[in-house]
């Protein structure tokens, strides 16, 4: 029977390094340690104390090699190597994989490395580290080739601590022998701390990436909107210049036609005169020939008898005052272009109005009526787009949001910054009022004027248009609006009303200092016995 069969693995492991004895020595108290381990241990202490029984020695004992333990440890190491010299059931490690240090035949892929043993193990050779109590205490990591880099070069021990003073990784002996009074933390603790910091750094980088991606999206969106605006502007420009070209071409055609008609009139008059003169010339030539022939006659009697009739010159038209005046065309171009300039001016003004309306329509908001604010006599459509007066007062619970005195209603959507636009169809109505109102207006009364939170225009008595500016301003409109556009520029303090069909400006409230939410305001007025029963309709912009 071999010596190793009589001892357990714990009995051949050094209690300091937790590995199989290497050059074992025995202390006077009878305990065994690796010579290097106990020497380094005592060098770090003021007194020489046994690590196991804590016996104190007045002087550093002279240590002697324990030959028995040495032989048993050597036999155990050799038997372990022999027993685990090959692992034929496992495939050989690939070139890029870490090899098992204990496979003597085919080198198998290592699955763990031990920092204490400075070796890597395959599944088969790792078993002692998973079963032996002392070896279980060794630190196993994923297989690595550079294990020596994880060992302290001064003390040949694993780098287990982090020196915060020198910012270096050290072993357990470094704090005693070389880094006195320094601040140390376990390597795992520093790892977790730096990992957390690294996580914060990664998160910050990711945030920067997201911010820049968002900035790219914003730039791309701005570029897209700019391109769309440019396309719209080019389309408006094409339309404007096409209109101008049409006016110019029509004026040019009219001018040429007028000149040509005048020219033809002159030529026709001249042709008539020429034909008439040619006719007289022909008749006079005939008379002259007849008289010339008679003058050569030798019949004295015939000449004398005919002379009274042919002695008189035939009557002709008096052409002395007849003139075909040369027509002067000087100034015709200027005269023809004078109304063209006025036409173009009107066309340009109309195009500018349409362009301005197109610009504000870009800020259109999909407005719907808020039934919680509607006066009890108002009837709202299911889609919240139409409202008209219905005479009968509905029994509704009290609400501070609801208009009670005037038959008003406001929209759900509010304006508290930027720009805001919507359109209301007013066709077929004899009375109405639309505009904007503060969200906080008095729902139980009040007057339609800015001082009380209303900016509105209204129609009264079919043709009487007013801007409710407090006092009201009578408006003279070129045409009766069928659809009214309402535009709010909150920061500029401006509310503008447009006749959508003609793009004409109806009225603008300027110099307003808005500090509250503004809501779209609608008043269909009473139905006036059916004469004003048509609803106010919030229409989609562009329809």
């Amino acid at each position: 029977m071999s010596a190793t069969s009589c001892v357990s693995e714990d009995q051949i492991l050094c209690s300091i390094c937790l590995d199989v004895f290497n050059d074992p020595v025995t202390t006077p108290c009878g305990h065994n340690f690796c010579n290097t381990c106990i020497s380094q241990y005592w060098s770090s202490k003021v007194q020489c104390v046994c690590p196991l029984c804590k016996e104190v020695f007045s002087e550093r004992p002279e240590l002697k090699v324990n030959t028995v333990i040495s032989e048993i440890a050597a036999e155990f190491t050799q038997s372990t190597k022999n027993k685990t010299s090959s692992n034929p059931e496992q495939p050989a490690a690939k070139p890029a994989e870490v090899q098992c240090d204990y496979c003597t035949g085919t080198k198998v892929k290592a699955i763990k490395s031990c920092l204490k043993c400075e070796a890597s193990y395959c599944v088969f050779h790792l078993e002692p580290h998973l079963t032996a109590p002392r070896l279980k205490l060794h630190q196993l990591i994923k297989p690595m080739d550079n294990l020596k880099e994880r060992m302290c070069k001064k003390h040949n021990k694993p780098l287990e601590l982090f020196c915060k003073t020198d910012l270096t990784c050290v072993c357990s002996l470094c704090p005693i022998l070389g880094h006195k009074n320094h601040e140390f933390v376990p390597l795992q603790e520093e790892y977790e701390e730096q990992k957390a910091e690294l996580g914060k750094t990664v998160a910050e980088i990711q945030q920067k990436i997201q911010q820049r991606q968002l900035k790219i999206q914003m730039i791309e969106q701005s570029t897209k909107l700019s391109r769309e605006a440019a396309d719209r502007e080019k389309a408006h420009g094409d339309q404007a210049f096409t209109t101008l070209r049409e006016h110019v071409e029509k004026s040019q055609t009219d001018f040429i036609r007028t000149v040509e008609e005048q020219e033809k009139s002159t030529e026709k008059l001249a042709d008539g005169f020429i034909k008439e003169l040619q006719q007289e010339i022909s008749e006079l030539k005939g008379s002259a020939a007849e008289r010339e022939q008679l003058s050569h006659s030798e019949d004295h009697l015939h000449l004398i008898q005919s002379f009274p009739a042919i002695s008189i010159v035939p009557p002709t038209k008096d052409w002395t005052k007849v003139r075909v005046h040369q027509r002067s065309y000087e100034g015709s171009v200027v005269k023809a272009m004078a109304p063209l300039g006025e036409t173009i001016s009107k066309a340009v003004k109309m195009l500018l109005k349409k362009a301005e309306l197109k610009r504000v329509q870009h800020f259109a908001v999909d407005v719907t009526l808020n039934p919680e604010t509607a006066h009890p006599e108002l009837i709202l459509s299911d889609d919240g787009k139409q409202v008209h007066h219905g005479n009968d007062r509905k029994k509704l619970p009290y609400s501070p949001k609801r208009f009670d005195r005037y038959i008003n209603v406001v929209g759900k959507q509010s304006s508290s910054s930027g720009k805001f636009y919507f359109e209301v169809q007013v066709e077929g109505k004899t009375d109405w009022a639309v505009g904007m109102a503060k969200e906080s207006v008095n729902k139980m009364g009040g007057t339609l004027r800015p001082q009380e939170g209303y900016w509105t225009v209204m129609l009264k008595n079919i043709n009487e248009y007013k801007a409710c500016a407090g006092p009201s301003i009578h408006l003279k409109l070129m045409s009766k609006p069928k659809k009214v556009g309402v535009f709010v520029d909150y920061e500029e303090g401006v509310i503008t009303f447009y006749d959508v069909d003609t793009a004409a400006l109806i009225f603008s409230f300027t110099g307003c200092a808005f500090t509250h939410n503004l809501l779209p305001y609608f008043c269909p007025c009473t139905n006036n016995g059916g004469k004003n029963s048509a609803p106010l309709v919030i229409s989609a912009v562009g329809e």
Side-chain angles (χ1 to χ4, degrees):
M1 180 180 293
S2 67
T4 56
S5 63
C6 300
V7 295
S8 67
E9 292 180 359
D10 289 352
Q11 292 174 305
I12 58 174
L13 296 179
C14 173
S15 60
I16 296 177
C17 67
L18 302 178
D19 206 348
V20 178
F21 284 117
N22 180 20
D23 191 16
V25 293
T26 303
T27 61
C29 57
H31 294 117
N32 300 301
F33 305 95
C34 296
N35 189 16
T36 303
C37 292
I38 190 63
S39 297
Q40 290 180 346
Y41 181 79
W42 281 343
S43 296
S44 65
K45 302 293 183 181
V46 176
Q47 291 180 315
C48 295
V49 181
C50 176
L52 292 178
C53 68
K54 305 303 180 182
E55 182 179 345
V56 179
F57 305 106
S58 58
E59 296 181 357
R60 187 163 181 164
E62 183 179 350
L63 300 175
K64 295 182 179 181
V65 176
N66 190 325
T67 56
V68 176
I69 295 297
S70 181
E71 291 175 357
I72 294 175
E75 183 179 346
F76 178 81
T77 302
Q78 185 61 41
S79 65
T80 301
K81 288 185 177 181
N82 291 338
K83 186 170 73 172
T84 62
S85 60
S86 64
N87 189 5
E89 297 180 0
Q90 297 294 324
K94 297 178 181 179
E97 295 175 336
V98 179
Q99 299 178 350
C100 175
D101 292 326
Y102 281 83
C103 289
T104 56
T106 302
K107 290 292 186 180
V108 177
K109 173 186 176 182
I111 63 168
K112 290 290 182 181
S113 294
C114 177
L115 291 177
K116 195 76 174 177
C117 302
E118 295 186 50
S120 299
Y121 302 94
C122 64
V123 175
F124 191 75
H125 293 130
L126 184 65
E127 184 179 359
H129 278 76
L130 302 177
T131 57
R134 298 281 187 183
L135 294 177
K136 284 182 179 180
L137 299 177
H138 288 195
Q139 185 177 356
L140 298 176
I141 61 173
K142 66 180 183 179
M144 301 186 72
D145 282 329
N146 57 342
L147 288 174
K148 287 188 177 181
E149 295 181 6
R150 294 178 172 268
M151 303 297 291
C152 178
K153 291 180 173 58
K154 289 184 179 180
H155 309 111
N156 198 32
K157 282 187 171 292
L159 300 173
E160 300 173 338
L161 301 173
F162 181 76
C163 177
K164 284 187 169 291
T165 306
D166 292 342
L167 302 178
T168 58
C169 298
V170 298
C171 70
S172 58
L173 292 178
C174 287
I176 303 169
L177 302 178
H179 294 256
K180 292 182 179 180
N181 301 322
H182 288 192
E183 181 183 358
F184 298 92
V185 294
L187 203 62
Q188 179 68 24
E189 181 179 329
E190 183 65 22
Y191 162 78
E192 295 295 340
E193 183 178 338
Q194 293 193 10
K195 182 180 179 181
E197 288 297 323
L198 188 61
K200 292 180 182 178
T201 302
V202 171
E204 186 177 348
I205 292 173
Q206 290 295 338
Q207 184 179 12
K208 287 182 178 292
I209 291 173
Q210 291 177 358
Q211 289 174 345
R212 280 147 183 79
Q213 288 176 337
L214 181 60
K215 181 61 69 175
I216 289 174
Q217 292 177 358
M218 292 173 62
I219 292 172
E220 290 177 342
Q221 180 66 12
S222 296
T223 304
K224 178 184 176 184
L225 294 176
S226 178
R227 183 167 54 250
E228 291 175 352
D231 290 340
R232 287 195 302 271
E233 198 63 23
K234 286 190 288 185
H236 296 160
D238 287 342
Q239 181 183 1
F241 285 104
T242 298
T243 302
L244 292 178
R245 281 195 298 270
E246 290 174 352
H247 283 301
V248 171
E249 290 171 358
K250 182 178 183 301
S251 296
Q252 181 184 16
T253 301
D254 292 343
F255 167 71
I256 293 173
R257 184 177 62 251
T258 300
V259 172
E260 288 178 346
E261 287 176 352
Q262 292 174 349
E263 181 184 5
K264 288 179 180 179
S265 175
T266 301
E267 291 179 353
K268 183 178 180 181
L269 179 62
D271 289 343
F273 288 156
I274 290 171
K275 286 181 180 179
E276 190 174 351
L277 287 168
Q278 287 176 340
Q279 179 66 32
E280 287 188 356
I281 290 171
S282 177
E283 292 175 355
L284 289 173
K285 284 182 177 181
S287 297
E290 180 181 357
R291 283 162 178 71
E292 180 69 22
Q293 182 179 3
L294 185 60
S295 68
H296 293 291
S297 175
E298 294 181 357
D299 188 346
H300 302 95
L301 180 61
H302 177 66
L303 175 63
I304 293 171
Q305 289 176 342
S306 301
F307 181 79
I310 61 175
S311 62
I312 302 173
V313 177
T316 57
K317 181 176 180 179
D318 183 6
W319 290 93
T320 56
K321 295 182 179 181
V322 175
R323 298 285 189 275
V324 176
H325 297 284
Q326 179 182 356
R327 189 179 292 273
S328 174
Y329 296 99
E330 185 177 351
S332 298
V333 175
V334 175
K335 185 177 180 181
M337 293 187 69
L340 174 62
E342 184 178 349
T343 301
I344 291 176
S345 178
K346 290 180 180 178
V348 169
K349 288 180 181 179
M350 176 59 70
L351 290 171
L352 290 175
K353 289 179 182 178
K354 289 184 177 180
E356 171 63 15
L357 183 59
K358 287 285 185 182
R359 182 186 69 82
V360 302
Q361 284 178 331
H362 182 64
F363 301 99
V365 176
D366 184 13
V367 173
T368 52
L369 301 169
N370 186 351
E372 295 181 1
T373 67
H375 185 275
E377 293 181 12
L378 291 180
I379 299 175
L380 277 61
S381 62
D382 292 338
D383 62 0
K385 296 292 186 179
Q386 300 186 27
V387 59
H388 68 277
H389 181 237
N391 280 330
D392 296 332
R393 185 182 180 93
K394 297 185 289 293
K395 293 182 179 180
L396 299 172
Y398 168 77
S399 171
K401 297 181 180 180
R402 189 181 308 283
F403 288 95
D404 185 71
R405 182 177 177 184
Y406 296 113
I407 50 175
N408 302 334
V409 62
V410 293
K412 294 180 180 179
Q413 295 69 26
S414 65
S415 171
S416 59
S417 63
K419 298 175 176 60
F420 188 99
Y421 179 81
F422 65 95
E423 293 179 352
V424 187
Q425 180 179 312
V426 296
E427 185 177 13
K429 296 190 65 61
T430 61
D431 301 271
W432 53 260
V434 297
M436 300 294 291
K438 283 185 182 179
E439 189 174 17
S440 58
V441 292
N442 181 9
K443 305 299 192 301
M444 306 302 292
T447 305
L448 293 182
R449 58 179 184 169
Q451 295 88 331
E452 297 192 31
Y454 295 92
W455 294 265
T456 63
V457 295
M458 66 186 306
L459 168 66
K460 296 294 290 181
N461 304 321
I462 302 178
N463 291 313
E464 188 180 348
Y465 291 94
K466 296 180 179 180
C468 303
S472 297
I473 298 174
H474 290 272
L475 304 175
K476 295 181 179 180
L477 306 183
M478 299 299 294
S479 60
K480 188 173 183 178
K482 296 180 180 178
K483 189 182 295 184
V484 175
V486 182
F487 174 64
V488 180
D489 190 328
Y490 197 93
E491 279 71 24
E492 292 296 326
V494 175
I495 297 179
T496 305
F497 298 83
Y498 296 92
D499 181 341
V500 175
D501 293 325
T502 64
L505 175 67
I506 296 176
F507 186 78
S508 279
F509 291 94
T510 59
C512 308
F514 301 128
T515 57
H516 298 77
N517 279 357
L518 300 179
L519 299 172
Y521 167 85
F522 308 88
C523 176
C525 298
T526 60
N527 61 29
N528 194 18
K531 296 179 181 178
N532 190 38
S533 60
L536 288 176
V537 181
I538 303 172
S539 57
V541 175
E543 288 187 349

